[in-house]
Amino acid sequence: MKKTTGFDRSKTRNWRPATQAVRGGTWRSEHGETSEALFLTSGYTYDSAEEVAARFAGEAQGMTYSRLQNPTVAMLEERIALMEGAEACRTQATGMAAMTTALLCQLFAGDHVVAAKAAFGSCRWLVDTLLPRFAIETSVVDGRDLDAWKAAIKPNTKLFFFETPANPTMDIVDLQAVCDLAKAHGITTVVDNAFATAALQRPLEFGADVVAYSATKLMEGQGRVLAGAVCGTEKFINEVLLPFQRNTGPNLSPFNAWVVLKGLETLDLRARRQSENALAVGKAVEGRVRRILHPGLASHPQHNLAMRQMDGCGPIFSFFLDDRAQAMAFLNALELVDISNNIGDARSLCCHPASTTHYGVSAEARADMGIEEGMLRINIGLEDPRDLIADLDQALTKVGL
């Protein structure tokens, strides 16, 4: 591969996803390094005053400041865009920085947003609390119900916002149907794809306009750094999102970008193995618990839809014990699986959403979302599934199940 091949879309667009994840976006310096170089610099120097003026005016290529461009960050953005099938991508410091940027960069006072009610706690806070502070009207609907989306549309509806699978209820939104509805009414769709990533689901192929990520999760995959990303058309990224990001500064650091680049090299392998492991563990748990929400199991009410739009079930599912006390006792009985509120990690992690990821959501909203006090969410990692099943088995036995 030549030094700049990774940025040559005429070639890289023809690579298959696993190849894009390893080599897409790679740009090599004059040293010809094998691994992507880490450029730790806040700014750049120039050979002349005229050169820097031309760069700032957009009349000459080159970087001006790391809040705008950094070579390592640019490699990550190109790689994510390739994997997503997007024209362009911009990365942010965290997943929530990505969600906030994706929304606020295009919304104005008087606009109306319709969002799926099942969402990560901080995403619900954006919809329920932050947007209304800026006189942006919001409505939440059952994302599984197309008629609910239709009924919520108003003359000032600007944007649909949802994630699928949803955190932690594993609701599946019909990407094609909701995106088609939005396009018919001139509404922009913003999809949080963190539970799947492009390795398992590509919302743009179903008509989504913008895809947002917590790259902290499966993309990075080993619990080391925080990162976010937003993908879309070049026009949206450069003319709508970039001015907001440039002037508010939620940028990703070069070091964190480099770590995520390394994570993407194994994303395809991890996502598929973790999906296989999750299906094996889910089957073993299903008969032991009161209820399980696992898109890979036939018992999931939207299993067929999930399998139509996902290439694998993903590593995450939720299950229900009787109450909070039993859920807490189960967590405390785990010996191999960690108690942690993260997801997408190569290690198996389990948490109690009502007291962690959705603690900041009102009890009424949690109930409306289907988050019960006995609900547990688990991220299945790369351990041998037989060891994970044994650990869950002994913990369930200790709580009387």
Side-chain angles (χ1 to χ4, degrees), residues 62-335:
M63 301 193 175
T64 58
Y65 192 61
S66 276
R67 185 155 45 84
L68 289 170
Q69 313 106 339
N70 175 277
T72 308
V73 175
M75 285 190 270
L76 175 62
E77 291 170 342
E78 177 66 9
R79 184 170 297 178
I80 293 174
L82 277 175
M83 295 171 64
E84 198 65 41
E87 292 181 0
C89 170
R90 279 279 172 170
T91 52
Q92 294 77 33
T94 69
M96 284 314 303
M99 302 303 157
T100 304
T101 299
L103 298 179
L104 287 183
C105 76
Q106 59 180 313
L107 293 172
F108 295 85
D111 286 341
H112 175 235
V113 173
V114 183
K117 65 182 180 181
F120 176 53
S122 293
C123 289
R124 276 299 300 261
W125 185 87
L126 292 180
V127 172
D128 296 341
T129 305
L130 182 65
L131 296 183
R133 290 181 183 176
F134 295 95
I136 298 166
E137 186 182 357
T138 63
S139 303
V140 293
V141 300
D142 184 339
R144 300 165 296 184
D145 185 352
L146 185 62
D147 289 335
W149 289 100
K150 291 179 182 177
I153 295 173
K154 300 181 179 183
N156 60 331
T157 302
K158 178 74 173 291
L159 188 148
F160 283 176
F161 180 43
F162 61 91
E163 61 179 315
T164 181
N167 183 1
T169 59
M170 309 309 294
D171 288 5
I172 306 297
V173 176
D174 188 328
L175 282 163
Q176 190 71 62
V178 174
C179 291
D180 285 351
L181 174 65
K183 286 190 184 305
H185 290 82
I187 297 167
T188 298
T189 47
V190 177
V191 180
D192 176 352
N193 198 38
F195 265 39
T197 75
L200 300 177
Q201 179 174 266
R202 289 157 58 102
L204 295 179
E205 294 181 353
F206 296 89
D209 297 300
V210 179
V211 182
Y213 281 105
S214 172
T216 308
K217 309 303 191 293
L218 267 171
M219 283 188 178
E220 194 279 315
Q222 297 176 62
R224 298 167 295 188
V225 299
L226 303 179
V230 179
C231 300
T233 64
E234 286 187 358
K235 181 178 177 64
F236 172 79
I237 294 296
N238 294 329
E239 298 181 16
V240 180
L241 184 141
L242 181 56
F244 179 91
Q245 181 161 331
R246 174 174 58 211
N247 293 294
T248 59
N251 297 70
L252 181 64
S253 74
F255 177 78
N256 287 13
W258 184 84
V259 174
V260 178
L261 275 166
K262 297 294 98 183
L264 290 179
E265 291 180 358
T266 60
L267 173 61
D268 186 74
L269 296 172
R270 288 184 287 102
R272 296 184 190 286
R273 176 57 66 85
Q274 287 179 246
S275 292
E276 293 171 3
N277 287 355
L279 187 57
V281 175
K283 289 178 178 178
V285 169
E286 186 169 25
R288 300 285 300 280
V289 298
R290 180 163 58 85
R291 186 158 62 103
I292 186 170
L293 295 172
H294 187 316
L297 295 176
S299 59
H300 190 287
Q302 297 169 288
H303 167 71
N304 291 334
L305 172 61
M307 294 303 96
R308 282 202 306 271
Q309 60 188 36
M310 295 179 70
D311 187 16
C313 64
I316 304 150
F317 63 88
S318 296
F319 58 96
F320 296 80
L321 303 188
D322 290 339
D323 50 33
R324 178 184 282 227
Q326 191 177 49
M328 294 293 191
F330 172 85
L331 288 172
N332 290 333
L334 293 170
E335 296 175 354

Side-chain angles (χ1 to χ4, degrees), residues 12-32:
T12 60
R13 73 164 64 96
N14 298 317
W15 292 347
R16 291 170 177 80
T19 305
Q20 292 174 338
V22 175
R23 292 185 174 270
T26 299
W27 173 87
R28 290 175 175 145
S29 74
E30 67 274 15
H31 301 295

